[in-house]
Amino acid sequence: MTSLALKPALQPNQKLSPKSFNFEPHKSRLIHDLNVGRLSKAISTLDLMVHNGAHPDLPSYSLLLKSCIRSRNFELGKLVHAHLVNSKLDLDSLTLNSLISLYSKNGDWEKADSIFRSMGNKRNLVSWTSIVSCFANNDLGFEAIVAFLDMLENGFWPDEYCFAAVFRACLDTGDLSIGETIFGFVIKSGYFKADLCVGCSLIDMFAKGGGDLNSAYKVFDKMPEKNVVTWTLMITRFAQLGFAREAVDLFLDMVLSDLVPDQFTFSSVMSACAELELLSFGKQLHSQVIRRGLAFNHYVGCCLVDLYAKCAADGSMDESRKVFDHMTNHNVTSWTALITGYVRNGGRYHEAIKLFCEMISGHVRPNHFTFSSILKASASLSDLSTGKQVHSLAVKLGLASDNCVGNSLISMYAQSRQMEYSRKAFDNLFDKNLISYNTIVDAYVKSFESKEAFDLFHEIDDVEFGANAYTFSSLLSGAASIGAIGKGEQIHARTLKSGFDSNQCISNALVSMYSRCGNVEAAFQVFSEMVDRNIISWTSIITGFSKHGYAERALTMFYEMLESGIRPNEVTYTAVLSACSHAGLVSEGRKHFNTMYSKHGIVPRMEHYACMVDLLGRSGLLSKALEFINSMPFMADALIWRTFLGACRVHGNTELARHAASMILEQDPHNPAAFVLLANLHASMNQWEEVAKIRKRMKERDLTKEAGSSWIEVENKVYKFHVGDTSHPKASEIYNELDRLVLKIKELGYVPNTDFVLHDVEEEVKEQYLLQHSEKIAVAFGLINTTRSKPIRIFKNLRICGDCHTAIKYISMATGREIVVRDSNRFHHIRNGKCSCIDYW
DNA sequence: GTAGGGTTAG
């Protein structure tokens, strides 16, 4: 029979008479094919039946439609509709309702609406509910509410399905007041108690629509009957709205209530667990997932990848990779979860880029999250060429103006110091949000283009969202990094106006800004006025005093911090040890180094060892320092040897310096700092042949030392000078002032120290070289352009040169001005011929 | 025929 029936399908032109065509087996085969998802087979069977004049009856069509909807075979459903129209059957409510549902679920709300309109008095409660639901599911919340009100006017009393639909509609409009009115209505009607679904839609109306978890939880709590879906919904909303702790607690309550979590529940609770970085709890969840046979679910897998990645601080990044490798197939989400993990939590950028390439060659299309992560990886590696390739791929896929991708492009180009491209990415953004503004402001600030940063800052005032704490702290750190105290003060005023005066994050940024701009007293005042201080506040002020050479005040603050019950961290100890080192407090420093682990359980890191090497080395205990280096529990890195080399130079020990330099070059053969320090050392001993050899080696390896530059802020504008800079319009005026100053300070006893000149030339020429140092130019510029009432604040990217240090001390004497110099290492407060560093730096 | 929950994020 079956083989006979198949024949006509192969020969469509051959028509059998309706009588000879057996309708029943085809009908049952059609339904079977439908149920197992064989869409094309079902279509050909239907065609065959109709072709042979055997139209199914109305109940059969109805059944067909239901199957199509249940299996989401919308194409076949539409075909069935076409056949229905041809069959000229008089459609009943049931069939028409099915058609509304079909088109609604297929996203064609207009078609659904026209069927509903054509129904006339065939409309029943299900028809009304279907159309309300159709509008609500197709982002037409307002239309849905109107339909709901129409329904009431037409005398239909809503049931639980209908209430659930209208609450979803209220969620969509964002207008909860209508929803709340209807909610009152529901309570009166008694449906609330009866139905799980009404409860769920109410929870979501409050949680998703209004972000009001309190009301959502009240609904949840009062529901007399709850199932897995209800619990999961509540857990999910807690997790999504940033209440991870509550989500986890609710999950534990759920398990205690003997409900069995499913794949949805696990996905949500694992997200919350990832947020809280609860590795061991996460592992328990993982084993439960395996036990319940849910490990192969794609969503669950993604969540696990993300969970282990977010706990990567505890070394679980490889676990994340393992879960990923065990997954049977991968889509954008799982690839992105893993890539993001390598970038954000593991700092393993090369691996992330490699994965990205694998993903693309596997024809998986990256999305905006993928681009965002991979751009961050290229930025962190300062790998401009990869960044550009990724950019062009994003353009190709039409994602470059997406907010998330665009913001990452801004920071990628900024980190590669391509501000023009960075700005272009900003301008190309489709829709700029506060993060876009904050990113570009931060980028300008970090590239010393503070004017652009502040222009944009004013632009933020004109858009609907104002600056937030992030904007302010970014601008403050920008002002701090360039030492623009005037700008810093302006921002300080603005934060007060914007009501951020007790914001801990901003106060911390202010402490750091004032201190880094050279006014540690202002920093201390902000600190003193803070109501709520955290470890960052204390560490900032300790670092401030330390960098300014006030070792005792730094240590006093440290003891006060301990008394107030705040535990120090690694950064605090770096500040404490470097305070001791700047002031030459050898035994005090040793004491703190020894107690950091014994009293506070902090294992010393490389930078702490470096502080100790600095402390011992600078106070002349070179052999002790070397002994210390050799007794370290790990191999000394380039930083340690550079510190040691610096000490050797101060104390003129060529032999040990050579050893240190060779150690640096062993680990980092292209380190220009090692070459320069070595060259300086030989120059100061007049060993010019050695200097020449080193210069040659540097040239061969194409190494250039970072150019020395100094800058000064005058009337909110930063002026930057390089060595021998003549680019400033008033250059001749500046050099005249310098010549005048040198004559004056020579009278006071200044003798140029030509040891600091790295060229083998006549003494007189050497003096000329010294005069061209950027810090001297900046001081002269400052003397011409500032009033006596304020100190002159100079900033230098490298360490101050010894001759400049001496010269500036004499200049302070000759002019009666206070001069503050911030170099790459510390502050020098120079007044009346004396420096706060006591010539020890 | 009408109803509810999940992954990656600057």
Side-chain angles (χ1 to χ4, degrees), chain A residues 317-337:
Chain A
M317 198 55 227
D318 294 329
E319 201 61 36
S320 172
R321 179 61 190 257
K322 238 192 245 166
V323 175
F324 177 86
D325 287 339
H326 273 109
M327 287 168 75
T328 45
N329 52 33
H330 295 118
N331 64 8
V332 217
T333 318
S334 50
W335 279 106
T336 305

Side-chain angles (χ1 to χ4, degrees), chain A residues 678-814:
Chain A
L678 209 54
N680 279 343
L681 186 78
H682 289 295
S684 68
M685 311 207 146
N686 283 319
Q687 296 162 335
W688 299 108
E689 273 177 34
E690 292 291 324
V691 175
K693 263 191 226 161
I694 293 169
R695 283 182 172 279
K696 205 174 149 224
R697 274 169 67 192
M698 284 181 74
K699 252 199 180 146
E700 279 164 11
R701 296 178 195 199
D702 199 21
L703 299 178
T704 41
K705 181 189 151 188
E706 192 184 349
S709 65
S710 300
W711 61 91
I712 179 172
E713 187 202 39
V714 174
E715 279 163 14
N716 288 330
K717 213 174 158 221
V718 174
Y719 298 89
K720 192 174 181 183
F721 302 96
H722 292 99
V723 186
D725 207 326
T726 52
S727 60
H728 194 273
K730 287 186 184 168
S732 62
E733 204 181 313
I734 299 168
Y735 281 101
N736 286 340
E737 172 73 13
L738 254 181
D739 287 337
R740 215 177 48 76
L741 276 171
V742 170
L743 286 179
K744 218 167 162 189
I745 62 176
K746 274 190 175 168
E747 278 171 25
L748 291 169
Y750 164 68
V751 181
N753 184 348
T754 51
D755 285 356
F756 290 96
V757 177
L758 288 180
H759 299 269
D760 185 18
V761 288
E762 293 300 315
E763 281 297 305
E764 225 169 274
V765 184
K766 281 188 179 176
E767 275 189 37
Q768 279 306 311
Y769 276 130
L770 282 178
L771 260 186
Q772 293 179 4
H773 281 184
S774 62
E775 47 268 61
K776 291 197 185 88
I777 303 174
V779 169
F781 181 80
L783 282 169
I784 302 171
N785 291 293
T786 59
T787 54
R788 303 192 62 84
S789 60
K790 280 184 180 172
I792 295 170
R793 298 177 206 275
I794 307 291
F795 300 84
K796 191 178 176 191
N797 62 339
L798 309 171
R799 282 211 190 173
I800 188 171
C801 128
D803 177 68
C804 290
H805 192 258
T806 313
I808 293 170
K809 284 196 291 183
Y810 278 106
I811 292 171
S812 76
M813 236 192 302

Side-chain angles (χ1 to χ4, degrees), chain A residues 12-87:
Chain A
N13 294 330
Q14 184 191 349
K15 204 167 182 174
L16 294 171
S17 69
K19 268 187 192 166
S20 65
F21 188 80
N22 193 336
F23 174 77
E24 280 308 319
H26 286 85
K27 187 179 154 192
S28 61
R29 218 187 48 243
L30 183 64
I31 289 168
H32 173 73
D33 285 343
L34 225 46
N35 285 337
V36 298
R38 281 187 221 140
L39 180 65
S40 54
K41 240 184 160 184
I43 289 175
S44 57
T45 309
L46 182 68
D47 277 341
L48 176 69
M49 288 166 72
V50 175
H51 183 77
N52 287 296
H55 276 289
D57 54 3
L58 198 55
S60 299
Y61 270 122
S62 241
L63 205 63
L64 256 172
L65 276 177
K66 253 199 273 181
S67 300
C68 293
I69 293 166
R70 204 174 48 224
S71 58
R72 302 185 71 83
N73 279 339
F74 303 131
E75 286 314 306
L76 183 63
K78 282 193 248 177
L79 202 78
V80 174
H81 185 196
H83 285 309
L84 261 174
V85 173
N86 284 337
S87 72

Side-chain angles (χ1 to χ4, degrees), chain A residues 570-571 573-574 577-578 593 604-614 634 637 639-640 643:
Chain A
E570 288 100 338
V571 191
Y573 267 105
T574 309
L577 294 176
S578 85
F593 183 81
R605 291 197 305 217
M606 202 62 92
E607 59 259 42
H608 301 112
Y609 283 94
C611 284
M612 290 307 288
V613 171
D614 196 43
F634 35 73
D637 68 353
L639 171 73
I640 300 269
T643 309

